[in-house]
Amino acid sequence: MTSTGSAHLLTAILQSLQAPAGRNTNIRTIVNNTAVTLSRLTNPLNVSLLTTQSLAAPAIWNNPSPLSASQAVFDIFRLSTQERARESNRALSLNEWIDAVVTGADARVPRWKHALVSSGILAAFEADDARLPFTTRTNLEAHLLEVVNFHFEFSTSGIETHACILAISNAYRLLSEDSRYMLNYPALTGALLPAMFLSPEGYQTGDFLRQIDRSVPIGQQKMAVVPSFSLKDFLTHPFVANMGALAKLAATSMASSGETETINGALSVLATYSRSLVSIWRETGLSTLPDDATISHDPVQTNTAQLWHVLKSSLFSAVVVLESIVRILLQSHQIARNNEVHTFASQILCILRDFYFITHRTNPAAFGTYMFVYHACVDIVMSNPAQAESLAAQLAPIQDQIPAGTIPAHPTDILRDLYFLNTLEYLVISCSPRFCTTIVSPSLTPYLTSPSITPILREPFESAHSLMLAMIGCPQLVESSYKILPGYIESVFAAYPLFLSTRQFRLAMASLIKFTSPPTALSGIQRDLPDIILEMLCARIEAADSRYPVKAYKPPSSVPADATPDGSAPAAAEPQAEEEFTERDVCILSMLDSLPFMEEAALERWLDIAAGYVGKTTKGDSREALRGRFWDVISGELDVGRSQLAIPWWSEGGREVVLGISA
């Protein structure tokens, strides 16, 4: 390009940068034109001039979103450097050109804008950093770290800090190991997490839900309380669009810091966000909308499926940070010595409780990071019985808000109960009898006594059964367990097969025999409890239907989980096998499942009874399945003492009874 042409082009660009920003201003066009012009300039003074003007241009910075302006400036220097690096035959060498750009970011330009220049140049060499001279790279990295460390240490909010976060998040993966070592990680964590979850440029402490709710169309009209909220525009916010990279940077920063104060600050931010998010979600009408409901007509029609994508992204980002914290808790001897690890683990489980209305839709079993965080924290808390009971009290339904003995009306409250029931199944072994009587029993009783085929109530119902079995198996709860046992046994028989799944019924029967057979504490109160339960099972076998298979309960099809934070899709859940057993078959299978737990003195009698039921089965498929299960039990599931009874029994006539062969 001739000097005259270059001068005309520079003049035109400078005029466009100085023009006041208006509704018709196209920032992307300004960015592209400025980047191309900057890359073609060969006079160092002109390069510095255009750099200075870009960092103060009204057309860019008079923007309702200062962070979007920062993103635009970052893009100018990244794109111009990429363009300049592709052409080596210039009067001005690449190194001289970079020096001229850096010179343009002089003392008249706020220091935080310097970070955008340095990170933009560094980011341009992500694909091929060999062309950037070592000395130049070192100077750029040192300058960037000097600026961001200063702002992270003395300011944790505002455009200055947010611009520095934008700069370091784009350049961090390109920094040398020595430069990364110089980064102030505690200060970075303290600035980064509030920016991600609490700031207007991030997830806004969940307030975006309230704005969406106000914009939900009613029929063909829209509520005109506030201007319509655009979910599409929200997703283009620099922090929201780059949340995956920010979450990984936050996790790295947390791991590199590992200080108790930093962990406290991080958990405080996540707790504030999760509490606010679930509170706003509960108070709005968004939770009741179907997945294809329109939530915005202007400017682009969006639906609740896209909203769930945003919510899941916020969950994934939070869990990535929590994983880093959990790893610190497991590895830090200092935190363990200070006895803070149990408190931190409890806080994490409370945060996960508030996120559960999102987690429930994401197939958590396929989300490995979430499962690691959850189970690791449960294990940590269980190692301290006092902390376990304290956590259980925090997770328990609030009696002032939901009357004792009733099922909440709001779906979000039901899901919180479900999280409580699932978690308490692990913690109940550490809870006192008084706590279980006053807190646990009132929480699970409504679900046990009011079975429902409604999908949202089915899971709490089965979780309540699992928790009840866990309570019955706790030695410290033997007195209270004995009192509630008769009612619970009746509820199990009454709930199957309409409300209780086959798997849950078989598990309940086997567990009841296990917990009431010697040498358990319950057997010391009433030794014949197993015989009573099995006699009830025999009566059910005689009355049960033997013609038609039990209708298999299939949970409602869940919304497919979005990609996990590492970019891969969660593994698909295994399809549920079709149940072909009749009600009579299931009751017999339950008796067979119980054989390994029976007292040796009673085993032989119940072997005869169970074998008789199997031998009398006439339906072909059922007969083969029952015979196979009987053989599996006596050949591989009995301990040594019971095997010494079962093997002679089998060879002395038991086999013929099972096969239905007349003596």
Side-chain angles (χ1 to χ4, degrees):
M1 179 182 294
T2 64
S3 58
T4 303
S6 178
H8 285 305
L9 184 58
L10 176 60
T11 301
I13 291 298
L14 291 175
Q15 289 176 349
S16 67
L17 291 175
Q18 292 302 316
R23 180 173 298 180
N24 297 325
T25 301
N26 190 324
I27 297 296
R28 183 46 50 187
T29 300
I30 293 176
V31 168
N32 291 335
N33 291 341
T34 304
V36 171
T37 302
L38 185 60
S39 68
R40 294 178 178 178
L41 295 176
T42 57
N43 186 327
L45 296 178
N46 288 339
V47 173
S48 298
L49 173 63
L50 185 52
T51 298
T52 304
Q53 293 300 313
S54 299
L55 295 173
I60 296 176
W61 291 102
N62 291 353
N63 191 312
S65 173
L67 189 61
S68 296
S70 300
Q71 178 71 58
V73 169
F74 168 84
D75 288 340
I76 287 175
F77 294 103
R78 178 178 59 84
L79 295 173
S80 62
T81 305
Q82 287 176 339
E83 180 69 21
R84 183 62 186 78
R86 279 194 287 265
E87 300 182 19
S88 57
N89 298 324
R90 292 287 182 89
L92 195 66
S93 69
L94 175 61
N95 198 36
E96 292 171 335
W97 182 87
I98 292 176
D99 288 341
V101 170
V102 174
T103 301
D106 54 22
R108 294 171 295 175
V109 177
R111 283 175 57 85
W112 57 272
K113 293 185 179 180
H114 294 200
L116 299 173
V117 177
S118 299
S119 63
I121 296 173
L122 288 170
F125 294 93
E126 181 173 5
D128 183 10
D129 62 355
R131 290 173 293 178
L132 185 61
F134 175 78
T135 302
T136 303
R137 168 177 290 279
T138 302
N139 292 337
L140 287 171
E141 292 180 356
H143 184 59
L144 173 63
L145 292 174
E146 179 185 357
V147 173
V148 299
N149 280 339
F150 174 82
H151 283 91
F152 291 155
E153 185 172 357
F154 295 104
S155 175
T156 58
S157 62
I159 181 55
E160 299 89 349
T161 301
H162 291 169
C164 289
I165 290 173
L166 178 67
I168 196 65
S169 65
N170 282 282
Y172 181 80
R173 59 188 176 276
L174 307 173
L175 298 179
S176 65
E177 290 298 325
D178 290 340
S179 295
R180 292 184 182 184
Y181 181 77
M182 299 303 295
L183 189 58
N184 187 339
Y185 288 105
L188 171 60
T189 306
L192 182 53
L193 290 178
M196 292 169 58
F197 295 101
L198 308 183
S199 76
E201 301 293 349
Y203 288 126
Q204 306 174 355
T205 322
D207 191 62
F208 68 92
L209 289 177
R210 190 177 284 116
Q211 298 178 56
I212 292 175
D213 184 60
R214 292 170 180 168
S215 300
V216 172
I218 301 178
Q220 297 301 318
Q221 297 182 346
K222 192 164 17 196
M223 297 176 66
V225 179
V226 294
S228 178
F229 177 83
S230 172
L231 184 59
K232 182 180 179 181
D233 289 345
F234 176 73
L235 291 172
T236 62
H237 288 184
F239 282 171
V240 177
N242 199 35
M243 195 58 71
L246 291 176
K248 291 180 180 179
L249 177 59
T252 301
S253 179
M254 179 64 65
S256 300
S257 172
E259 299 176 358
T260 300
E261 184 178 350
T262 306
I263 295 175
N264 262 322
L267 293 180
S268 176
V269 169
L270 293 175
T272 299
Y273 173 70
S274 61
R275 280 196 303 266
S276 177
L277 187 72
V278 70
S279 177
I280 296 174
W281 177 258
R282 188 183 183 281
E283 73 183 35
T284 64
L286 297 175
S287 61
T288 62
L289 296 177
D291 289 340
D292 59 350
T294 299
I295 59 176
S296 173
H297 283 156
D298 183 31
V300 178
Q301 191 175 84
T302 53
N303 56 37
T304 50
Q306 293 165 295
L307 171 60
W308 277 109
H309 175 78
V310 177
L311 292 172
K312 291 173 186 178
S313 296
S314 76
L315 167 67
F316 294 153
S317 299
V319 170
V320 167
V321 178
L322 291 175
E323 180 194 23
S324 181
I325 295 175
V326 170
R327 293 188 184 278
I328 295 173
L329 299 183
L330 295 175
Q331 298 171 2
S332 174
H333 297 292
Q334 179 180 355
I335 295 178
R337 283 196 301 269
N338 295 338
N339 204 27
E340 296 172 307
V341 63
H342 305 98
T343 302
F344 288 146
S346 295
Q347 292 177 27
I348 292 173
L349 289 172
C350 289
I351 291 170
L352 295 181
R353 185 267 313 273
D354 291 332
F355 276 120
Y356 195 67
F357 78 98
I358 308 173
T359 310
H360 185 256
R361 292 176 61 99
T362 63
N363 187 14
F367 187 5
T369 305
Y370 174 89
M371 297 303 291
F372 165 75
V373 171
Y374 177 78
H375 287 293
C377 289
V378 168
D379 288 344
I380 291 172
V381 172
M382 287 180 63
S383 65
N384 186 326
Q387 187 67 43
E389 185 167 313
S390 174
L391 172 63
Q394 295 178 59
L395 298 178
I398 302 175
Q399 302 297 335
D400 294 341
Q401 298 180 1
I402 303 172
T406 61
I407 295 176
H410 199 283
T412 304
D413 294 329
I414 295 175
L415 291 178
R416 287 168 72 90
D417 282 0
L418 176 60
Y419 182 88
F420 168 70
L421 296 173
N422 288 340
T423 305
L424 204 64
E425 187 177 346
Y426 299 100
L427 304 180
V428 69
I429 188 66
S430 302
C431 295
S432 65
R434 181 178 179 277
F435 179 83
C436 290
T437 301
T438 58
I439 301 296
V440 180
S441 294
S443 300
L444 62 83
T445 300
Y447 294 102
L448 289 177
T449 57
S450 304
S452 173
I453 59 175
T454 305
I456 195 171
L457 294 178
R458 186 71 181 239
E459 286 184 84
F461 173 70
E462 294 204 348
S463 293
H465 274 277
S466 297
L467 176 55
M468 181 64 78
L469 290 174
M471 291 175 60
I472 293 173
C474 292
Q476 81 275 18
L477 304 177
V478 60
E479 295 292 339
S480 57
S481 296
Y482 180 72
K483 295 178 182 178
I484 63 177
L485 191 58
Y488 175 67
I489 294 173
E490 290 182 3
S491 71
V492 171
F493 281 107
Y496 183 75
L498 182 58
F499 303 110
L500 201 61
S501 69
T502 293
R503 178 195 64 82
Q504 195 81 10
F505 180 77
R506 291 177 62 179
L507 174 65
M509 288 293 104
S511 299
L512 287 170
I513 299 302
K514 177 181 179 180
F515 296 147
T516 56
S517 297
T520 62
L522 277 173
S523 66
I525 298 178
Q526 186 173 347
R527 196 175 185 86
D528 62 347
L529 280 174
D531 288 325
I532 294 174
I533 297 171
L534 291 171
E535 291 291 352
M536 295 175 68
L537 190 58
C538 288
R540 184 62 174 267
I541 292 174
E542 297 295 340
D545 177 72
S546 60
R547 295 173 299 171
Y548 304 108
V550 175
K551 185 178 180 181
Y553 166 68
K554 295 182 179 180
S557 58
S558 58
V559 177
D562 291 330
T564 49
D566 60 3
S568 61
E574 294 184 2
Q576 181 175 344
E578 187 71 24
E579 297 184 42
E580 299 293 342
F581 297 123
T582 66
E583 183 181 344
R584 179 180 182 275
D585 297 338
V586 173
C587 292
I588 297 173
L589 287 170
S590 300
M591 183 177 291
L592 298 179
D593 294 340
S594 304
L595 292 176
F597 308 114
M598 294 180 188
E599 185 182 13
E600 293 181 14
L603 178 60
E604 189 167 357
R605 181 168 78 90
W606 287 106
L607 281 171
D608 288 333
I609 295 174
Y613 284 129
V614 174
K616 293 176 183 177
T617 303
T618 57
K619 188 178 178 182
D621 293 342
S622 297
R623 183 174 62 246
E624 293 305 315
L626 294 176
R627 288 175 179 176
R629 178 59 185 150
F630 201 112
W631 175 249
D632 288 341
V633 170
I634 66 171
S635 65
E637 297 184 19
L638 300 180
D639 60 16
V640 175
R642 293 178 176 85
S643 296
Q644 290 177 346
L645 289 174
I647 293 174
W649 172 87
W650 177 265
S651 59
E652 295 173 4
R655 172 180 174 275
E656 286 72 19
V657 178
V658 172
L659 297 178
I661 302 174
S662 301

